[in-house]
Amino acid sequence: MAAMGETGTGTGIVRGGVVATAAGSLTDGWIEIEDGRIVGIGDGPSTGPVLAEAAVVLPGFVDQHCHGGGGESFSTTDPDAAAWAVQTHRALGSTTIVASLVSELPATLLSQVETLAPLATAGLIAGIHLEGPWIAQEKCGAHAPEALRSPSAVEIDELLAAGAGQIRMVTLAPELPGALAAIEQLTAADVRVAIGHTACDYETALAAVAAGASVATHLWNAMRPIRHRQPGPIPAILESPEVFVELIADGIHLHPSVIRLTRQVVGIDRVVLVTDAMAAAAAPDGTYRLGTLEVAVTDRVARLAPHGAIAGSTLTMLEAARRAHTLLGWDWGDVALCTATNPARAMGLGDVGAVEPGRAADFVLLDEPGELVGVMKSGVPLA
């Protein structure tokens, strides 16, 4: 049974039957909060007003790859639409979101970055992720082919200026002309570079990592598969300890055995669960848009209309966490690592992602089966 207090000041105690902390899970644990930040952690009896209690307390989810939700998309020039998508996912536990954009023509992409940058400055989102336009035609998935191109230093500089320091990650295909130089340019600007939507070979993927790439965008999906004499990018990524690997655990993008295999190979500390959610997340089936493309959502599966490629997902981080616990058998500590701590590390977000003193008091509260009973942001329950 869970309860949410009415204090609403961000100061007090949060209690949990299981509390997944940065140092390990506590049984009958408590978290002390002062002015929206964690100041103490322990187990057993506690003193002070109880703001909330639940069977399970996790750090607020960090979704580093999300395109929208609640019927709205981040690929927009309407800041209210983007804010609605954020609030939709926050209410379901994603207290930190990196807003993802799909490939667009230059002027459109620039306008969308200019729209999102103030939202990042204001703290509504944790930055911007450009998934494209510098990706491979043959692995474009649900990206408009006419919007794809090779990276140029001039365009990168223009986008970085428009982003005002808020572009946090860029996904690109390292085999494109100028891609390795672009990786160096982006990482020098403190932007994470992800290998994705790529048909590159093993050696080129290793060169991308050497140039500074540190993430794999939805590993296994939209990239050249493994073959025993032509391994492609996946083994290079798996062998590179500095690379975090995104996995979409919605039961559609990946078979559970592939998730288990990936975790076994890379270890739990490199696995990042993401949603890759588009506008239909937490919204009814129907017709939506992903960038310029029409997407049909049927039985919660999003595909390019009428029966094309998978077009993102309708997943939420809450569902991803629940699936990891119930279907993959991960304990709540491992779920917390892959839904909060690891993405925060991957994105360089030191203020969130873990239950430990000094961090923001962002929590997801669950009952025993893993159903949501509450979300807290800076120690305050979200309506």
Side-chain angles (χ1 to χ4, degrees):
M1 191 69 179
M4 297 293 286
E6 298 181 357
T7 307
T9 62
T11 297
I13 300 293
V14 174
R15 296 197 59 93
V18 174
V19 177
T21 80
S25 293
L26 297 176
T27 301
D28 189 23
W30 51 264
I31 308 162
E32 184 180 3
I33 304 165
E34 186 174 313
D35 296 329
R37 307 198 77 78
I38 300 169
V39 297
I41 299 168
D43 54 12
S46 61
T47 59
V50 175
L51 299 178
E53 54 187 348
V56 179
V57 179
L58 304 178
F61 301 136
V62 178
D63 192 355
Q64 70 180 45
H65 188 159
C66 178
H67 293 279
E72 299 291 352
S73 172
F74 292 125
S75 294
T76 182
T77 53
D78 179 357
D80 290 337
W84 177 258
V86 171
Q87 299 300 346
T88 297
H89 283 284
R90 273 193 182 179
L92 296 171
S94 293
T95 52
T96 301
I97 296 172
V98 177
S100 299
L101 297 175
V102 294
S103 302
E104 301 274 9
L105 295 175
T108 301
L109 186 60
L110 201 66
S111 295
Q112 292 172 352
V113 168
E114 289 172 341
T115 300
L116 294 179
L119 302 184
T121 301
L124 192 65
I125 58 175
I128 303 165
H129 165 214
L130 305 182
E131 188 182 11
W134 310 307
I135 59 176
Q137 288 276 350
E138 59 266 49
K139 294 295 180 183
C140 66
H143 291 249
E146 65 272 14
L148 307 186
R149 50 197 180 271
S150 295
S152 75
V154 171
E155 185 178 21
I156 290 171
D157 280 340
E158 290 175 346
L159 287 166
L160 291 176
Q166 300 299 339
I167 295 179
R168 191 162 290 275
M169 181 166 67
V170 170
T171 295
L172 56 71
E175 71 271 26
L176 294 177
L180 296 182
I183 294 173
E184 294 176 350
Q185 181 181 1
L186 289 162
T187 54
D190 197 30
V191 176
R192 277 74 184 162
V193 174
I195 300 169
H197 287 275
T198 177
C200 76
D201 59 21
Y202 174 85
E203 291 77 14
T204 303
L206 286 181
V209 174
S214 60
V215 179
T217 292
H218 44 53
L219 186 70
W220 303 97
N221 295 116
M223 60 178 59
R224 180 177 172 179
I226 297 174
R227 293 183 177 172
H228 60 292
R229 284 189 292 270
Q230 297 176 329
I234 295 173
I237 289 164
L238 296 176
E239 292 173 354
S240 299
E242 61 267 66
V243 177
F244 291 90
V245 296
E246 292 184 355
L247 300 175
I248 307 173
D250 62 351
I252 299 163
H253 283 77
L254 297 172
H255 191 278
S257 65
V258 176
I259 298 176
R260 290 193 295 268
L261 173 64
T262 304
R263 174 180 169 165
Q264 182 178 1
V265 172
V266 306
I268 194 70
D269 290 335
R270 290 172 55 197
V271 174
V272 174
L273 297 185
V274 299
T275 64
D276 195 14
M278 43 79 72
D285 283 2
T287 301
Y288 296 85
R289 300 200 75 78
L290 186 59
T292 60
L293 303 180
E294 185 175 287
V295 177
V297 179
T298 305
D299 295 330
R300 310 312 302 139
V301 179
R303 292 186 178 275
L304 294 182
H307 305 293
I310 294 175
S313 85
T314 61
L315 186 66
T316 66
M317 289 296 286
L318 175 63
E319 295 173 78
R322 191 161 48 229
R323 289 180 64 86
H325 181 66
T326 60
L327 299 180
L328 297 175
W330 296 5
D331 63 35
W332 287 118
D334 286 350
V335 171
L337 280 173
C338 297
T339 59
T341 308
N342 293 347
R345 289 172 53 225
M347 295 295 100
L349 301 170
D351 195 47
V352 297
V355 177
E356 66 178 357
R359 302 225 189 188
D362 296 352
F363 310 120
V364 179
L365 296 97
L366 308 173
D367 64 13
E368 290 282 1
E371 297 296 327
L372 184 70
V373 296
V375 180
M376 302 185 79
K377 179 75 174 170
S378 297
V380 178
L382 298 183

